[in-house]
Amino acid sequence: MLNNVGNINNFSPMNSLSVRNVGANTSLSNMMQNSLFPQANIFNFGSNMASTPFNFRNSLMGVRSNAERLLSTLNDMRGIGRNAQTPFGNIRPVAENTDILQINTVDTNRLRNSNVRSLSVDVMQVAQSQQNRGSAFTGNALATSAGFTTGANQISINVGNSRFDFNFNVTSTDTVRQVQDRIAAAINNRNIGVTASVSTEGSGTGQTSALTLQSAQTGATVQGQPNFTVSGANNVASVLGVDSVTRQAQNAEFRVNRNGFSGNVQTSRTNNVDLGSGISATLRETGSTQITFAPDEDRQMQSFRDMVSAVNGMLDSASGGASGRLQRELVNTIRSSSASLSRIGINVDRGGFLSIDERRFRSAASTGALESFAMRDRSGSQFGFMNRLTRTAGNIRRNPGGFVNLNTNWWFSQNQQLATRLNQNMNTGLLFQTMM
């Protein structure tokens, strides 16, 4: 709220005019000049006068915005209000034998709430697709010599209750390899749930080729029964050697053991399985593996990177002329912990700006030094770096005007009452709604 002010130096508290009632097409400059300051044009200082209420507002907004960003980053690191998500409260499951099992994704909230203390997985069987591998033929063998009939031919594949016929021609000059390629292309173009490929072995005149048909998906449709069968006119399937199953389809079988108790055997048509507790994994081969729980080093490192970026953002505000006091408080806080920061791979330059030494930083993450640094602060020590930085950023957020130079702003140095009022109105949102 703003009263009409007859003289710029007799500014009174904003308490009568609601700026929300100002029309959308009314500029703030005109509103303040004509309605708030009818006897003084506060915006016509000439081209050399860069300091205006808008510059002051921008300084306040920049300082407070950087302080809020830094506070948010520090709160995430220390787990304030979001313990399930703090990088130093999360653990990452790791399979000791990745040849048997590979961890894919982790729901950290489910894992945290599951209270799993130990976990192991027994893989009795991995899921696999049915495969019919055909006979091998030399590369220059003529199709007619191998047993194909010249003219129209047909091969049929039965998948479930559906039959798919593939017609092709054979000439007297076609090689077996040409016929194999022709059949494979026809099958793959139909998307019937069976894929075809032609594999080769050897080289030169001794090279051979074989047609292989395989289920597009792993797992058995009916346990013990083939997922598809192959037949065809003119005995084509038998000539190619694809009428017999060379590898049966099967489902994965595995058991998850938690906290010393053996789980029930589970089956899956795929090798991508849910181990429970928010953990998904891919089964690779039979065997047993223990799953250990380690700190999430990647998230820990990212949280420190975010903190470094936020600190440097605050220092940019200070070095940009916002306030010597702001710069002094930040630099004093940072330099007082420069030795401990250096030990975890974070360097401090003369201006207080932070940078990361990747080699020492990653080493600190792998040895648990990053976690120790954060946990020491989270214990509540008032001398901890992050706790001191939190207090400094909190002070800046609560009173950004106290950290913005008024002495360098001629207009506000002559109108301290208005400057104070603008600063006080930051938390109400009035200043920002009117000066955007």
Side-chain angles (χ1 to χ4, degrees):
M1 310 301 177
L2 296 170
N3 285 332
N4 288 337
V5 180
N7 184 285
I8 196 169
N9 290 314
N10 294 324
F11 180 80
S12 58
M14 304 176 180
N15 57 14
S16 66
L17 175 63
S18 172
V19 297
R20 294 186 177 89
N21 295 327
V22 177
N25 295 323
T26 302
S27 72
L28 177 64
S29 176
N30 290 335
M31 183 273 288
M32 292 188 72
Q33 177 179 329
N34 299 325
S35 300
L36 306 180
F37 305 98
Q39 298 180 17
N41 186 345
I42 64 172
F43 290 92
N44 293 329
F45 292 115
S47 60
N48 293 327
M49 196 61 209
S51 296
T52 69
F54 295 98
N55 296 94
F56 182 66
R57 172 277 233 164
N58 288 336
S59 294
L60 292 177
M61 287 187 68
V63 169
R64 191 173 76 163
S65 175
N66 280 310
E68 287 177 340
R69 177 190 172 201
L70 179 55
L71 282 172
S72 176
T73 300
L74 292 168
N75 287 346
D76 286 348
M77 293 177 71
R78 298 166 70 235
I80 297 175
R82 52 180 71 184
N83 288 330
Q85 295 298 325
T86 174
F88 303 97
N90 285 331
I91 49 177
R92 177 172 53 92
V94 178
E96 289 187 348
N97 190 337
T98 55
D99 289 335
I100 294 174
L101 178 149
Q102 176 67 52
I103 302 294
N104 292 333
T105 62
V106 181
D107 184 327
T108 54
N109 284 329
R110 283 184 60 193
L111 178 59
R112 188 180 184 88
N113 294 328
S114 66
N115 197 31
V116 174
R117 298 182 300 277
S118 65
L119 188 68
S120 65
V121 179
D122 303 321
V123 181
M124 285 78 77
Q125 184 170 281
V126 295
Q128 63 184 24
S129 57
Q130 176 185 332
Q131 189 179 93
N132 292 19
R133 180 176 175 81
S135 305
F137 297 86
T138 56
N140 58 358
L142 289 176
T144 53
S145 300
F148 287 97
T149 301
T150 303
N153 285 267
Q154 183 184 82
I155 187 170
S156 301
I157 300 178
N158 301 282
V159 182
N161 296 322
S162 300
R163 171 177 161 172
F164 302 93
D165 297 327
F166 301 90
N167 300 308
F168 61 96
N169 288 320
V170 175
T171 68
S172 59
T173 59
D174 283 335
T175 64
V176 174
R177 175 60 190 267
Q178 289 174 320
V179 173
Q180 291 170 332
D181 288 337
R182 202 170 296 156
I183 294 172
I187 293 172
N188 291 333
N189 286 336
R190 294 279 292 276
N191 192 27
I192 65 173
V194 174
T195 61
S197 60
V198 179
S199 58
T200 59
E201 292 182 0
S203 60
T205 57
Q207 186 179 71
T208 61
S209 62
L211 176 68
T212 298
L213 305 181
Q214 184 170 307
S215 297
Q217 305 295 327
T218 57
T221 304
V222 179
Q223 196 67 36
Q225 297 296 319
N227 285 353
F228 65 89
T229 59
V230 187
S231 59
N234 300 331
N235 205 29
V236 168
S238 177
V239 173
L240 288 168
V242 294
D243 54 342
S244 299
V245 177
T246 54
R247 187 181 72 186
Q248 292 284 352
Q250 66 182 25
N251 296 328
E253 295 182 357
F254 64 101
R255 179 171 52 225
V256 181
N257 313 304
R258 295 182 181 83
N259 300 336
F261 296 94
S262 296
N264 296 323
V265 174
Q266 303 179 53
T267 61
S268 171
R269 289 198 65 180
T270 76
N271 288 312
N272 295 320
V273 298
D274 183 358
L275 302 182
S277 304
I279 305 171
S280 69
T282 297
L283 308 181
R284 290 183 166 178
E285 65 179 46
T286 58
S288 298
T289 183
Q290 189 75 24
I291 294 179
T292 58
F293 298 95
D296 193 336
E297 294 173 11
D298 290 338
R299 288 199 63 198
Q300 290 181 6
M301 286 191 294
Q302 187 57 50
S303 71
F304 272 89
R305 293 185 197 280
D306 292 342
M307 182 269 289
V308 166
S309 176
V311 167
N312 289 342
M314 284 294 298
L315 286 169
D316 278 333
S317 294
S319 62
S323 174
R325 178 187 170 193
L326 172 59
Q327 191 168 25
R328 284 193 304 273
E329 290 208 17
L330 284 172
V331 172
N332 288 340
T333 299
I334 294 166
R335 283 187 171 176
S336 65
S337 299
S338 59
S340 57
L341 286 169
S342 178
R343 283 193 289 271
I344 61 172
I346 299 178
N347 300 321
V348 181
D349 71 10
R350 293 181 61 183
F353 286 89
L354 305 179
S355 61
I356 293 176
D357 181 311
E358 286 295 331
R359 183 184 62 79
R360 288 188 292 122
F361 186 60
R362 290 186 175 278
S363 175
S366 64
T367 60
L370 291 186
E371 185 172 12
S372 297
F373 186 95
M375 292 295 289
R376 182 169 60 251
D377 260 30
R378 201 163 55 174
S379 66
S381 167
Q382 62 177 329
F383 301 108
F385 171 69
M386 289 194 295
N387 286 338
R388 294 185 62 192
L389 201 56
T390 298
R391 287 196 300 275
T392 299
N395 291 336
I396 295 170
R397 183 194 182 283
R398 284 188 294 273
N399 182 29
F403 293 85
V404 175
N405 284 340
L406 297 182
N407 293 333
T408 60
N409 188 319
W410 175 86
W411 187 83
F412 280 104
S413 68
Q414 301 302 309
N415 298 275
Q416 291 291 330
Q417 188 177 9
L418 176 56
T420 301
R421 177 58 62 184
L422 291 175
N423 183 35
Q424 290 173 349
N425 274 277
M426 287 189 67
N427 291 330
T428 69
L430 178 63
L431 178 64
F432 303 118
Q433 291 175 33
T434 61
M435 291 193 169
M436 291 302 289

Short mmCIF file of all heavy atoms in Angstrom, two decimals, residues 179-238:
data_model
loop_
_atom_site.label_atom_id
_atom_site.label_comp_id
_atom_site.label_asym_id
_atom_site.label_seq_id
_atom_site.Cartn_x
_atom_site.Cartn_y
_atom_site.Cartn_z
N VAL A 179 19.18 -68.24 -51.23
CA VAL A 179 17.86 -68.69 -50.78
C VAL A 179 17.69 -68.41 -49.29
O VAL A 179 16.62 -67.95 -48.85
CB VAL A 179 17.66 -70.19 -51.09
CG1 VAL A 179 16.36 -70.70 -50.47
CG2 VAL A 179 17.67 -70.43 -52.60
N GLN A 180 18.71 -68.68 -48.50
CA GLN A 180 18.65 -68.40 -47.06
C GLN A 180 18.39 -66.91 -46.80
O GLN A 180 17.54 -66.56 -45.97
CB GLN A 180 19.96 -68.83 -46.38
CG GLN A 180 20.18 -70.32 -46.32
CD GLN A 180 21.59 -70.66 -45.86
OE1 GLN A 180 22.54 -69.89 -46.08
NE2 GLN A 180 21.74 -71.84 -45.25
N ASP A 181 19.10 -66.04 -47.52
CA ASP A 181 18.90 -64.59 -47.34
C ASP A 181 17.49 -64.19 -47.75
O ASP A 181 16.86 -63.32 -47.11
CB ASP A 181 19.92 -63.81 -48.17
CG ASP A 181 21.33 -63.89 -47.60
OD1 ASP A 181 21.46 -64.15 -46.38
OD2 ASP A 181 22.30 -63.67 -48.36
N ARG A 182 16.97 -64.78 -48.80
CA ARG A 182 15.63 -64.46 -49.30
C ARG A 182 14.58 -64.84 -48.25
O ARG A 182 13.64 -64.08 -47.98
CB ARG A 182 15.41 -65.22 -50.60
CG ARG A 182 14.35 -64.66 -51.51
CD ARG A 182 14.41 -65.38 -52.85
NE ARG A 182 15.68 -65.15 -53.53
CZ ARG A 182 16.22 -65.96 -54.43
NH1 ARG A 182 15.58 -67.08 -54.76
NH2 ARG A 182 17.35 -65.67 -55.01
N ILE A 183 14.73 -65.99 -47.65
CA ILE A 183 13.77 -66.45 -46.64
C ILE A 183 13.86 -65.60 -45.39
O ILE A 183 12.84 -65.21 -44.81
CB ILE A 183 14.04 -67.94 -46.31
CG1 ILE A 183 13.74 -68.81 -47.53
CG2 ILE A 183 13.20 -68.37 -45.11
CD1 ILE A 183 14.15 -70.26 -47.36
N ALA A 184 15.08 -65.28 -44.94
CA ALA A 184 15.27 -64.49 -43.71
C ALA A 184 14.62 -63.11 -43.87
O ALA A 184 13.94 -62.62 -42.96
CB ALA A 184 16.75 -64.35 -43.40
N ALA A 185 14.80 -62.47 -45.03
CA ALA A 185 14.22 -61.15 -45.26
C ALA A 185 12.71 -61.21 -45.23
O ALA A 185 12.03 -60.33 -44.66
CB ALA A 185 14.71 -60.58 -46.59
N ALA A 186 12.13 -62.25 -45.83
CA ALA A 186 10.67 -62.39 -45.86
C ALA A 186 10.10 -62.55 -44.46
O ALA A 186 9.07 -61.96 -44.12
CB ALA A 186 10.29 -63.56 -46.75
N ILE A 187 10.76 -63.34 -43.63
CA ILE A 187 10.27 -63.57 -42.26
C ILE A 187 10.39 -62.31 -41.42
O ILE A 187 9.45 -61.93 -40.71
CB ILE A 187 11.06 -64.73 -41.61
CG1 ILE A 187 10.73 -66.05 -42.32
CG2 ILE A 187 10.74 -64.82 -40.11
CD1 ILE A 187 11.59 -67.22 -41.87
N ASN A 188 11.51 -61.64 -41.51
CA ASN A 188 11.73 -60.44 -40.69
C ASN A 188 10.81 -59.29 -41.08
O ASN A 188 10.51 -58.43 -40.25
CB ASN A 188 13.19 -60.00 -40.77
CG ASN A 188 14.12 -60.98 -40.07
OD1 ASN A 188 13.73 -61.68 -39.14
ND2 ASN A 188 15.37 -61.04 -40.54
N ASN A 189 10.36 -59.26 -42.33
CA ASN A 189 9.46 -58.20 -42.77
C ASN A 189 8.03 -58.38 -42.25
O ASN A 189 7.24 -57.43 -42.30
CB ASN A 189 9.41 -58.13 -44.30
CG ASN A 189 10.67 -57.53 -44.89
OD1 ASN A 189 11.38 -56.77 -44.22
ND2 ASN A 189 10.97 -57.85 -46.15
N ARG A 190 7.70 -59.55 -41.70
CA ARG A 190 6.33 -59.82 -41.27
C ARG A 190 6.09 -59.58 -39.78
O ARG A 190 4.95 -59.51 -39.35
CB ARG A 190 5.97 -61.27 -41.64
CG ARG A 190 5.90 -61.55 -43.11
CD ARG A 190 4.58 -61.12 -43.71
NE ARG A 190 3.47 -61.94 -43.21
CZ ARG A 190 3.12 -63.12 -43.74
NH1 ARG A 190 3.81 -63.62 -44.77
NH2 ARG A 190 2.10 -63.79 -43.27
N ASN A 191 7.14 -59.51 -38.99
CA ASN A 191 6.98 -59.26 -37.54
C ASN A 191 6.00 -60.25 -36.90
O ASN A 191 4.99 -59.87 -36.30
CB ASN A 191 6.51 -57.83 -37.30
CG ASN A 191 6.61 -57.42 -35.83
OD1 ASN A 191 7.44 -57.94 -35.09
ND2 ASN A 191 5.76 -56.49 -35.41
N ILE A 192 6.32 -61.52 -36.96
CA ILE A 192 5.41 -62.57 -36.47
C ILE A 192 5.80 -63.08 -35.09
O ILE A 192 5.15 -63.99 -34.55
CB ILE A 192 5.37 -63.75 -37.46
CG1 ILE A 192 6.76 -64.42 -37.51
CG2 ILE A 192 4.92 -63.29 -38.84
CD1 ILE A 192 6.78 -65.72 -38.33
N GLY A 193 6.84 -62.51 -34.49
CA GLY A 193 7.29 -63.01 -33.19
C GLY A 193 8.42 -64.00 -33.31
O GLY A 193 8.86 -64.58 -32.31
N VAL A 194 8.89 -64.20 -34.53
CA VAL A 194 10.04 -65.06 -34.80
C VAL A 194 10.99 -64.26 -35.70
O VAL A 194 10.55 -63.64 -36.67
CB VAL A 194 9.65 -66.37 -35.49
CG1 VAL A 194 10.89 -67.18 -35.89
CG2 VAL A 194 8.75 -67.20 -34.59
N THR A 195 12.27 -64.26 -35.36
CA THR A 195 13.26 -63.56 -36.17
C THR A 195 14.14 -64.57 -36.89
O THR A 195 14.31 -65.71 -36.43
CB THR A 195 14.14 -62.63 -35.32
OG1 THR A 195 14.85 -63.42 -34.35
CG2 THR A 195 13.29 -61.58 -34.61
N ALA A 196 14.70 -64.15 -38.03
CA ALA A 196 15.55 -65.04 -38.82
C ALA A 196 16.88 -64.35 -39.07
O ALA A 196 16.95 -63.13 -39.23
CB ALA A 196 14.87 -65.37 -40.15
N SER A 197 17.94 -65.14 -39.09
CA SER A 197 19.28 -64.60 -39.36
C SER A 197 20.09 -65.67 -40.08
O SER A 197 19.82 -66.87 -39.97
CB SER A 197 19.98 -64.20 -38.07
OG SER A 197 20.14 -65.31 -37.22
N VAL A 198 21.07 -65.21 -40.86
CA VAL A 198 21.97 -66.12 -41.56
C VAL A 198 23.36 -65.88 -41.01
O VAL A 198 23.90 -64.78 -41.10
CB VAL A 198 21.94 -65.88 -43.08
CG1 VAL A 198 22.91 -66.84 -43.78
CG2 VAL A 198 20.53 -66.06 -43.63
N SER A 199 23.93 -66.88 -40.41
CA SER A 199 25.27 -66.77 -39.83
C SER A 199 26.27 -67.49 -40.73
O SER A 199 25.93 -68.43 -41.45
CB SER A 199 25.30 -67.39 -38.44
OG SER A 199 24.91 -68.75 -38.48
N THR A 200 27.50 -67.00 -40.69
CA THR A 200 28.56 -67.61 -41.50
C THR A 200 29.71 -68.02 -40.61
O THR A 200 29.96 -67.42 -39.56
CB THR A 200 29.06 -66.62 -42.57
OG1 THR A 200 29.55 -65.44 -41.92
CG2 THR A 200 27.94 -66.24 -43.53
N GLU A 201 30.43 -69.01 -41.04
CA GLU A 201 31.64 -69.46 -40.35
C GLU A 201 32.70 -69.78 -41.40
O GLU A 201 32.39 -70.19 -42.52
CB GLU A 201 31.35 -70.71 -39.51
CG GLU A 201 30.45 -70.45 -38.32
CD GLU A 201 30.24 -71.70 -37.48
OE1 GLU A 201 30.81 -72.76 -37.84
OE2 GLU A 201 29.51 -71.63 -36.48
N GLY A 202 33.97 -69.60 -41.00
CA GLY A 202 35.06 -69.89 -41.91
C GLY A 202 35.25 -68.76 -42.91
O GLY A 202 34.66 -67.68 -42.81
N SER A 203 36.07 -69.03 -43.93
CA SER A 203 36.36 -68.03 -44.94
C SER A 203 36.72 -68.73 -46.25
O SER A 203 36.99 -69.93 -46.29
CB SER A 203 37.52 -67.13 -44.50
OG SER A 203 38.69 -67.90 -44.29
N GLY A 204 36.72 -67.92 -47.33
CA GLY A 204 37.10 -68.45 -48.64
C GLY A 204 36.16 -69.54 -49.10
O GLY A 204 34.95 -69.53 -48.84
N THR A 205 36.72 -70.54 -49.77
CA THR A 205 35.89 -71.63 -50.30
C THR A 205 35.36 -72.52 -49.19
O THR A 205 34.42 -73.29 -49.40
CB THR A 205 36.73 -72.49 -51.26
OG1 THR A 205 37.90 -72.97 -50.58
CG2 THR A 205 37.15 -71.68 -52.49
N GLY A 206 35.93 -72.40 -48.00
CA GLY A 206 35.48 -73.22 -46.88
C GLY A 206 34.40 -72.55 -46.04
O GLY A 206 33.97 -73.10 -45.02
N GLN A 207 33.95 -71.35 -46.43
CA GLN A 207 32.94 -70.65 -45.64
C GLN A 207 31.59 -71.35 -45.74
O GLN A 207 31.19 -71.80 -46.81
CB GLN A 207 32.81 -69.20 -46.12
CG GLN A 207 31.88 -68.36 -45.26
CD GLN A 207 31.78 -66.93 -45.75
OE1 GLN A 207 31.19 -66.68 -46.80
NE2 GLN A 207 32.40 -66.01 -45.02
N THR A 208 30.90 -71.42 -44.60
CA THR A 208 29.58 -72.04 -44.58
C THR A 208 28.56 -71.02 -44.06
O THR A 208 28.91 -70.06 -43.38
CB THR A 208 29.55 -73.27 -43.66
OG1 THR A 208 29.88 -72.88 -42.32
CG2 THR A 208 30.52 -74.33 -44.16
N SER A 209 27.29 -71.26 -44.38
CA SER A 209 26.21 -70.39 -43.90
C SER A 209 25.08 -71.25 -43.37
O SER A 209 24.83 -72.37 -43.85
CB SER A 209 25.69 -69.49 -45.02
OG SER A 209 25.16 -70.26 -46.08
N ALA A 210 24.37 -70.74 -42.36
CA ALA A 210 23.25 -71.47 -41.76
C ALA A 210 22.14 -70.50 -41.42
O ALA A 210 22.39 -69.38 -40.95
CB ALA A 210 23.71 -72.21 -40.51
N LEU A 211 20.89 -70.90 -41.68
CA LEU A 211 19.72 -70.10 -41.32
C LEU A 211 19.29 -70.47 -39.91
O LEU A 211 19.16 -71.65 -39.58
CB LEU A 211 18.58 -70.38 -42.31
CG LEU A 211 17.24 -69.70 -42.00
CD1 LEU A 211 17.36 -68.18 -42.19
CD2 LEU A 211 16.13 -70.27 -42.89
N THR A 212 19.07 -69.45 -39.07
CA THR A 212 18.62 -69.68 -37.70
C THR A 212 17.32 -68.91 -37.47
O THR A 212 17.22 -67.73 -37.78
CB THR A 212 19.66 -69.21 -36.67
OG1 THR A 212 20.86 -69.96 -36.85
CG2 THR A 212 19.16 -69.41 -35.25
N LEU A 213 16.31 -69.61 -36.93
CA LEU A 213 15.05 -69.01 -36.53
C LEU A 213 15.00 -68.96 -35.01
O LEU A 213 15.39 -69.92 -34.34
CB LEU A 213 13.86 -69.81 -37.06
CG LEU A 213 13.83 -70.06 -38.58
CD1 LEU A 213 12.59 -70.86 -38.96
CD2 LEU A 213 13.88 -68.75 -39.33
N GLN A 214 14.52 -67.85 -34.46
CA GLN A 214 14.55 -67.66 -33.01
C GLN A 214 13.33 -66.86 -32.56
O GLN A 214 12.89 -65.93 -33.23
CB GLN A 214 15.83 -66.93 -32.60
CG GLN A 214 16.02 -66.75 -31.11
CD GLN A 214 17.42 -66.25 -30.79
OE1 GLN A 214 18.41 -66.84 -31.23
NE2 GLN A 214 17.50 -65.16 -30.04
N SER A 215 12.78 -67.22 -31.39
CA SER A 215 11.69 -66.44 -30.81
C SER A 215 12.15 -65.02 -30.55
O SER A 215 13.28 -64.81 -30.08
CB SER A 215 11.21 -67.07 -29.49
OG SER A 215 10.70 -68.36 -29.70
N ALA A 216 11.28 -64.06 -30.86
CA ALA A 216 11.65 -62.66 -30.63
C ALA A 216 11.75 -62.35 -29.14
O ALA A 216 12.49 -61.46 -28.74
CB ALA A 216 10.63 -61.74 -31.28
N GLN A 217 11.02 -63.09 -28.31
CA GLN A 217 11.02 -62.87 -26.87
C GLN A 217 11.55 -64.10 -26.15
O GLN A 217 11.44 -65.23 -26.65
CB GLN A 217 9.61 -62.55 -26.37
CG GLN A 217 8.93 -61.38 -27.07
CD GLN A 217 9.65 -60.07 -26.82
OE1 GLN A 217 10.22 -59.86 -25.76
NE2 GLN A 217 9.60 -59.17 -27.80
N THR A 218 12.14 -63.86 -24.97
CA THR A 218 12.59 -64.98 -24.14
C THR A 218 11.39 -65.56 -23.39
O THR A 218 10.32 -64.96 -23.31
CB THR A 218 13.64 -64.52 -23.12
OG1 THR A 218 13.09 -63.47 -22.32
CG2 THR A 218 14.88 -64.00 -23.81
N GLY A 219 11.59 -66.73 -22.80
CA GLY A 219 10.56 -67.38 -21.99
C GLY A 219 9.70 -68.33 -22.78
O GLY A 219 9.59 -68.22 -24.01
N ALA A 220 9.12 -69.28 -22.07
CA ALA A 220 8.28 -70.30 -22.69
C ALA A 220 6.82 -69.90 -22.61
O ALA A 220 6.32 -69.52 -21.56
CB ALA A 220 8.48 -71.65 -22.00
N THR A 221 6.12 -70.00 -23.78
CA THR A 221 4.68 -69.75 -23.78
C THR A 221 3.98 -70.82 -22.95
O THR A 221 3.15 -70.51 -22.09
CB THR A 221 4.13 -69.74 -25.21
OG1 THR A 221 4.86 -68.77 -25.97
CG2 THR A 221 2.66 -69.41 -25.23
N VAL A 222 4.31 -72.05 -23.23
CA VAL A 222 3.85 -73.20 -22.43
C VAL A 222 5.08 -73.99 -22.05
O VAL A 222 5.82 -74.45 -22.94
CB VAL A 222 2.85 -74.08 -23.22
CG1 VAL A 222 2.42 -75.26 -22.36
CG2 VAL A 222 1.65 -73.26 -23.67
N GLN A 223 5.32 -74.13 -20.75
CA GLN A 223 6.52 -74.79 -20.29
C GLN A 223 6.63 -76.20 -20.88
O GLN A 223 5.70 -76.99 -20.82
CB GLN A 223 6.54 -74.87 -18.76
CG GLN A 223 7.90 -75.18 -18.17
CD GLN A 223 8.91 -74.05 -18.38
OE1 GLN A 223 8.56 -72.88 -18.34
NE2 GLN A 223 10.16 -74.41 -18.62
N GLY A 224 7.80 -76.47 -21.49
CA GLY A 224 8.03 -77.79 -22.07
C GLY A 224 7.58 -77.92 -23.50
O GLY A 224 7.82 -78.95 -24.13
N GLN A 225 6.87 -76.91 -24.04
CA GLN A 225 6.38 -76.95 -25.42
C GLN A 225 7.09 -75.88 -26.24
O GLN A 225 7.44 -74.81 -25.73
CB GLN A 225 4.87 -76.70 -25.46
CG GLN A 225 4.05 -77.75 -24.74
CD GLN A 225 4.18 -79.11 -25.39
OE1 GLN A 225 4.18 -79.24 -26.63
NE2 GLN A 225 4.30 -80.15 -24.59
N PRO A 226 7.33 -76.14 -27.55
CA PRO A 226 8.00 -75.13 -28.38
C PRO A 226 7.11 -73.90 -28.58
O PRO A 226 5.87 -74.00 -28.62
CB PRO A 226 8.23 -75.87 -29.70
CG PRO A 226 7.20 -76.95 -29.73
CD PRO A 226 7.02 -77.38 -28.31
N ASN A 227 7.73 -72.74 -28.69
CA ASN A 227 6.99 -71.51 -28.95
C ASN A 227 6.55 -71.42 -30.41
O ASN A 227 5.60 -70.71 -30.73
CB ASN A 227 7.84 -70.29 -28.61
CG ASN A 227 7.96 -70.07 -27.11
OD1 ASN A 227 7.30 -70.76 -26.32
ND2 ASN A 227 8.81 -69.13 -26.71
N PHE A 228 7.27 -72.11 -31.30
CA PHE A 228 6.88 -72.12 -32.72
C PHE A 228 7.36 -73.42 -33.36
O PHE A 228 8.28 -74.08 -32.86
CB PHE A 228 7.45 -70.91 -33.46
CG PHE A 228 8.96 -70.88 -33.55
CD1 PHE A 228 9.63 -71.51 -34.61
CD2 PHE A 228 9.72 -70.25 -32.58
CE1 PHE A 228 11.01 -71.48 -34.70
CE2 PHE A 228 11.11 -70.22 -32.67
CZ PHE A 228 11.77 -70.83 -33.73
N THR A 229 6.70 -73.79 -34.44
CA THR A 229 7.10 -74.96 -35.23
C THR A 229 7.25 -74.53 -36.68
O THR A 229 6.67 -73.52 -37.11
CB THR A 229 6.08 -76.11 -35.12
OG1 THR A 229 4.80 -75.64 -35.58
CG2 THR A 229 5.96 -76.60 -33.68
N VAL A 230 8.03 -75.31 -37.44
CA VAL A 230 8.32 -74.94 -38.83
C VAL A 230 7.99 -76.12 -39.74
O VAL A 230 8.32 -77.28 -39.45
CB VAL A 230 9.81 -74.57 -39.00
CG1 VAL A 230 10.06 -74.03 -40.41
CG2 VAL A 230 10.23 -73.53 -37.97
N SER A 231 7.32 -75.81 -40.85
CA SER A 231 7.01 -76.82 -41.87
C SER A 231 7.07 -76.14 -43.23
O SER A 231 7.43 -74.96 -43.32
CB SER A 231 5.61 -77.42 -41.62
OG SER A 231 4.63 -76.40 -41.66
N GLY A 232 6.71 -76.84 -44.30
CA GLY A 232 6.71 -76.19 -45.60
C GLY A 232 6.58 -77.18 -46.73
O GLY A 232 6.89 -78.37 -46.58
N ALA A 233 6.09 -76.65 -47.85
CA ALA A 233 5.94 -77.48 -49.04
C ALA A 233 7.31 -77.85 -49.60
O ALA A 233 8.31 -77.16 -49.36
CB ALA A 233 5.13 -76.73 -50.10
N ASN A 234 7.35 -78.94 -50.33
CA ASN A 234 8.58 -79.42 -50.97
C ASN A 234 9.69 -79.73 -49.96
O ASN A 234 10.87 -79.67 -50.31
CB ASN A 234 9.10 -78.43 -52.01
CG ASN A 234 8.10 -78.17 -53.12
OD1 ASN A 234 7.29 -79.04 -53.46
ND2 ASN A 234 8.15 -76.96 -53.69
N ASN A 235 9.29 -80.00 -48.73
CA ASN A 235 10.26 -80.41 -47.70
C ASN A 235 11.31 -79.34 -47.43
O ASN A 235 12.46 -79.64 -47.06
CB ASN A 235 10.94 -81.71 -48.13
CG ASN A 235 11.46 -82.49 -46.94
OD1 ASN A 235 10.90 -82.41 -45.84
ND2 ASN A 235 12.53 -83.24 -47.15
N VAL A 236 10.94 -78.02 -47.60
CA VAL A 236 11.90 -76.93 -47.48
C VAL A 236 12.49 -76.86 -46.07
O VAL A 236 13.71 -76.69 -45.91
CB VAL A 236 11.23 -75.58 -47.85
CG1 VAL A 236 12.13 -74.42 -47.44
CG2 VAL A 236 10.95 -75.54 -49.33
N ALA A 237 11.64 -76.98 -45.02
CA ALA A 237 12.11 -76.86 -43.64
C ALA A 237 13.16 -77.92 -43.33
O ALA A 237 14.16 -77.65 -42.66
CB ALA A 237 10.94 -76.96 -42.67
N SER A 238 12.94 -79.11 -43.84
CA SER A 238 13.88 -80.19 -43.58
C SER A 238 15.19 -79.97 -44.33
O SER A 238 16.28 -80.22 -43.80
CB SER A 238 13.26 -81.53 -44.01
OG SER A 238 14.18 -82.59 -43.82
#
